[in-house]
Amino acid sequence: MLLMQKKSSEVRSSEITSKSIFMNRRRFIQSAAIAGLIPGILPKKAIGQGKGKKLNDIIKSSYSTIQKPTSYDLITSYNNFYEFGTSKDMPALMARNFKTKPWTVSVGGEVNKPGLYDFDNLIKHHQLEERIYRFRCVEAWSMIVPWVGIPLADIIKRLEPTSKAKYVAFETLNDPKRMPGQLRPILQWPYVEGLRIDEAMNPLTLMAVGLYGEELPNQNGAPIRLIVPWKYGFKSIKSIVSIRFVEKKPPTSWNLSAAREYGFYANVNPKVSHPRWSQAKERKLGGGYFSPKVETLKFNGYEEEVAGLYDGMDLKKFY
Ligand SMILES: Nc1nc2c(c(=O)[nH]1)N[C@H]1C(S)=C(S)[C@@H](COP(=O)(O)O)O[C@H]1N2
Ligand SMILES: [Mo]
């Protein structure tokens, strides 16, 4: 089996390379970046947001991969977050003063418990889990991220969607004063995303509130963002302020921007090329620019868990 999973009890903590080791390697990464070996990675840490608050009472999850996580520095300095700039190194810099406290999430649509939920109240009753997931961007790079979060299914069950809820629609904050990238029409703002309700209820789907045991850094989508590990990264919408349960398939940002290139499903699929490049392989971040690319796995390696969601669907048509 290609999944490379094992029970959390079998995952030795030594396999999760500690942050301090990564910190010691930082100088090497930085000099490699300056030498141009890692495009987009510059030593922004000195002026970045700084360390997040430690999260407590996190349990390990059997859904975690045993692969070694990408370094904290890379995960927090090589980002896509167009609200804070279009280059990979911009979000860490531009989002460093972004205020995420207080934070309110509006819940609405086909649901029995709509309302304005304070972020802390929304997550308070749930168990935090560490989920070490593979993450594959549509741009053919990937990383391994030790997220901390809550299964979206747990949150949805508590909100009690009605039988009319066929999809879940998410929105990012829309506030150009706080998200300067929104002053430019690169995308239609706010960033929007959606899942079919059964995709949202799949046990792999996570609402992430942290990484490496700490609150989410702003550039990674603080205070709460979606993680759908079998889909391309753009489905994983950041800094969510609205969750709506709807009957019809909701619009999604990248599909609105270029429908031929980005579909609603966006399932990782090495056999369906992006119109402008192949999706067969990926570059794992942290290995250096010249390290060989690795094969991309169907559903990003989560085929066993999610293939059943798409039984009978032509995945070339529903890309
Ligand atoms: N609101 C918002 N969410 C977003 C994006 C964005 O530009 N804005 N970029 C997406 C893309 S393309 C990717 S690959 C991931 C990157 O997440 P990371 O920076 O935490 O690695 O966020 C996704 N979520
Ligand atoms: Mo992406």
Side-chain angles (χ1 to χ4, degrees), residues 8 55-63 119-131 133 147-158 203 205-210 224:
S8 55
L55 294 164
N56 296 314
D57 303 319
I58 304 167
I59 60 164
K60 305 241 180 249
S61 166
S62 55
Y63 287 110
F119 165 72
D120 297 317
N121 282 336
L122 188 73
I123 69 162
K124 191 160 69 186
H125 310 283
H126 299 285
Q127 173 68 57
L128 290 181
E129 294 183 21
E130 180 181 70
R131 296 266 183 115
Y133 279 164
W147 302 110
V148 178
I150 298 159
L152 177 57
D154 292 359
I155 295 175
I156 290 181
K157 280 177 206 151
R158 198 160 59 90
T205 306
L206 196 71
M207 290 303 265
V209 299
I224 184 165

Side-chain angles (χ1 to χ4, degrees), residues 24-310:
N24 291 337
R25 270 204 242 139
R26 231 177 84 206
R27 281 174 65 185
F28 166 75
I29 292 168
Q30 288 178 352
S31 33
I34 291 158
L37 297 177
I38 310 171
I41 307 292
L42 285 167
K44 286 279 154 55
K45 201 56 189 279
I47 42 175
Q49 184 203 355
K51 224 168 131 51
K53 215 178 89 196
K54 194 177 174 298
L55 294 164
N56 296 314
D57 303 319
I58 304 167
I59 60 164
K60 305 241 180 249
S61 166
S62 55
Y63 287 110
S64 287
T65 173
I66 60 165
Q67 288 163 288
K68 194 176 94 181
T70 306
S71 76
Y72 179 88
D73 269 14
L74 266 170
I75 294 171
T76 60
S77 65
Y78 192 91
N79 300 101
N80 268 339
F81 200 172
Y82 278 17
E83 287 85 340
F84 294 106
T86 49
S87 64
K88 307 295 177 219
D89 53 350
M90 287 276 270
L93 182 66
M94 298 288 286
R96 70 191 193 283
N97 295 321
F98 180 55
K99 293 264 172 303
T100 61
K101 287 177 183 131
W103 191 268
T104 309
V105 180
S106 144
V107 173
E110 294 294 340
V111 65
N112 288 332
K113 295 188 173 159
L116 289 176
Y117 288 82
D118 178 66
F119 165 72
D120 297 317
N121 282 336
L122 188 73
I123 69 162
K124 191 160 69 186
H125 310 283
H126 299 285
Q127 173 68 57
L128 290 181
E129 294 183 21
E130 180 181 70
R131 296 266 183 115
I132 307 168
Y133 279 164
R134 287 179 291 278
F135 186 89
R136 171 62 158 78
C137 177
V138 73
E139 295 165 88
W141 49 264
S142 66
M143 54 188 178
I144 310 287
V145 188
W147 302 110
V148 178
I150 298 159
L152 177 57
D154 292 359
I155 295 175
I156 290 181
K157 280 177 206 151
R158 198 160 59 90
L159 297 173
E160 297 176 15
T162 72
S163 59
K164 281 189 184 159
K166 299 284 187 282
Y167 294 89
V168 189
F170 304 89
E171 269 182 38
T172 294
L173 177 72
N174 191 16
D175 187 348
K177 286 202 195 75
R178 295 163 68 194
M179 295 184 144
Q182 292 175 335
L183 293 167
R184 292 171 53 204
I186 326 154
L187 290 170
Q188 289 180 41
W189 308 113
Y191 197 101
V192 291
E193 258 305 335
L195 294 173
R196 230 168 50 192
I197 190 89
D198 58 344
E199 297 179 318
M201 294 295 289
N202 184 277
L204 284 175
T205 306
L206 196 71
M207 290 303 265
V209 299
L211 63 83
Y212 269 105
E214 296 169 2
E215 285 179 348
L216 269 184
N218 291 340
Q219 61 268 36
N220 294 92
I224 184 165
R225 59 94 53 94
L226 184 66
I227 293 296
V228 196
W230 71 94
K231 293 178 181 283
Y232 292 118
F234 66 84
K235 295 297 286 183
S236 294
I237 179 173
K238 295 177 168 181
S239 304
I240 293 168
V241 294
S242 166
I243 303 175
R244 286 184 63 80
F245 295 86
V246 295
E247 260 192 287
K248 295 210 174 74
K249 188 162 81 184
T252 60
S253 280
W254 281 100
N255 182 253
L256 288 172
S257 157
R260 219 170 59 83
E261 302 186 12
Y262 310 104
F264 176 80
Y265 284 95
N267 292 319
V268 174
N269 191 339
K271 293 208 176 103
V272 175
S273 298
H274 183 280
R276 292 183 280 133
W277 61 82
S278 163
Q279 293 291 15
K281 292 190 171 168
E282 66 204 52
R283 185 168 58 86
K284 288 188 78 176
L285 292 189
Y289 190 68
F290 298 110
S291 70
K293 290 190 167 187
V294 299
E295 308 265 313
T296 286
L297 304 177
K298 194 171 182 190
F299 295 114
N300 201 24
Y302 299 99
E303 182 169 10
E304 201 167 292
E305 288 84 354
V306 302
L309 292 168
Y310 310 103

